[in-house]
């Protein structure tokens, strides 16, 4: 894992601190825990299971609510499970959709086995190949776009891109493989769906 030293939870917290009224779809596992730790919100939808579905749900929300920014926060393994979604996102080209892929190059939820992105797989390159023009990697020594270990400054820069630049946008953040304190959102799927829909409707 060359150069992957970014503090995952601090980066997510710094980005979400600048979200405004954006809707956030959090993929299962660490991405959901990090979004919850940054501050629970009715405008957060957390995945429990359904691995590979976060990007497609984010696309659906972005198409249904073109007036609202939508950010998908997910992990490298979850994104790999739903890789075909990148082609659909590119084809639909919602200008209000951004994706943040937290890449620790490991399968964190199943035992921290070495993942595919630490070998030959480049998610940002795959996204560009699918047709997402703004797709880049940060936090690794050989990455493209913004780099550096100052997480607060990086979060500020990334937030401007993820929340303000015309989408679709995809950022892969190379983060350290770490064990953060538990921060579990509600497990009640009916509750999560209902409050998310109400928040999007402005109820």
């Amino acid at each position: 894992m060359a150069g992957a030293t970014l503090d995952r939870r601090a980066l997510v917290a710094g980005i979400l601190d600048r979200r405004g009224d954006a809707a956030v779809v959090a993929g299962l596992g660490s991405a959901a825990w990090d979004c919850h730790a940054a501050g629970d919100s009715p405008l957060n939808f957390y995945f429990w299971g359904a691995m590979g579905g976060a990007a497609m749900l984010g696309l659906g929300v972005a198409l249904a609510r073109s007036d609202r920014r939508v950010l998908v926060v997910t992990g490298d393994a979850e994104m790999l499970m739903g890789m075909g979604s990148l082609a659909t996102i590119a084809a639909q080209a919602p200008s209000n959709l951004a994706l943040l892929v937290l890449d620790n190059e490991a399968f964190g939820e199943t035992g921290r086995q070495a993942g595919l992105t630490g070998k030959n797989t480049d998610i940002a390159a795959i996204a560009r190949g699918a047709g997402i023009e703004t797709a880049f990697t940060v936090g690794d020594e050989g990455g493209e776009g913004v780099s550096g270990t100052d997480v607060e400054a990086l979060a500020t820069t990334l937030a401007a891109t993820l929340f303000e630049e015309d989408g679709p946008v995809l950022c892969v953040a190379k983060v350290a493989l770490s064990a953060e304190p538990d921060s579990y959102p509600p497990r009640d799927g009916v509750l999560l769906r209902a409050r998310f829909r109400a928040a999007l409707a402005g109820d």
Side-chain angles (χ1 to χ4, degrees):
M1 191 188 303
T5 59
L6 290 174
D7 183 317
R8 189 191 77 228
R9 185 154 289 184
L11 181 66
V12 172
I15 291 171
L16 293 188
D17 189 50
R18 298 162 174 82
R19 67 185 287 180
D21 65 351
V24 174
V25 175
L28 77 167
S30 298
W33 318 158
D34 291 344
C35 289
H36 184 261
D40 189 26
S41 167
L43 281 169
N44 289 358
F45 185 86
Y46 307 99
F47 266 70
W48 285 95
M51 187 171 182
M56 288 306 290
L57 179 63
L59 172 62
V61 175
L63 293 175
R65 289 301 307 269
S66 59
D67 59 322
R68 186 184 293 273
R69 193 71 176 193
V70 179
L71 174 66
V72 175
V73 182
T74 192
D76 53 299
E78 207 270 350
M79 190 69 256
L80 288 171
M81 181 71 79
M83 192 62 75
S85 63
L86 296 177
T88 305
I89 288 169
Q92 293 294 319
S95 62
N96 58 325
L97 178 63
L99 298 94
L100 173 65
V101 181
L102 304 171
D103 184 3
N104 59 14
E105 301 181 350
F107 300 122
E109 303 308 312
T110 60
R112 301 161 72 92
Q113 303 93 336
L116 302 176
T117 55
K119 298 177 181 179
N120 299 321
T121 304
D122 183 336
I123 293 175
I126 293 170
R128 290 193 298 272
I132 299 175
E133 294 182 6
T134 305
F136 58 94
T137 299
V138 299
D140 65 334
E141 294 174 347
E144 302 174 15
V146 184
S147 62
T149 57
D150 184 339
V151 175
E152 183 65 22
L154 180 59
T156 300
T157 301
L158 289 181
T161 300
L162 294 170
F163 294 127
E164 298 174 19
E165 188 165 331
D166 281 349
V169 173
L170 181 141
C171 169
V172 176
K174 291 285 188 175
V175 296
L177 182 60
S178 60
E180 305 292 347
D182 293 342
S183 184
Y184 296 140
R187 286 181 177 268
D188 187 335
V190 174
L191 168 67
L192 291 172
R193 181 189 64 187
R195 73 172 197 169
F196 188 61
R197 290 179 66 179
L200 287 174
D203 295 343

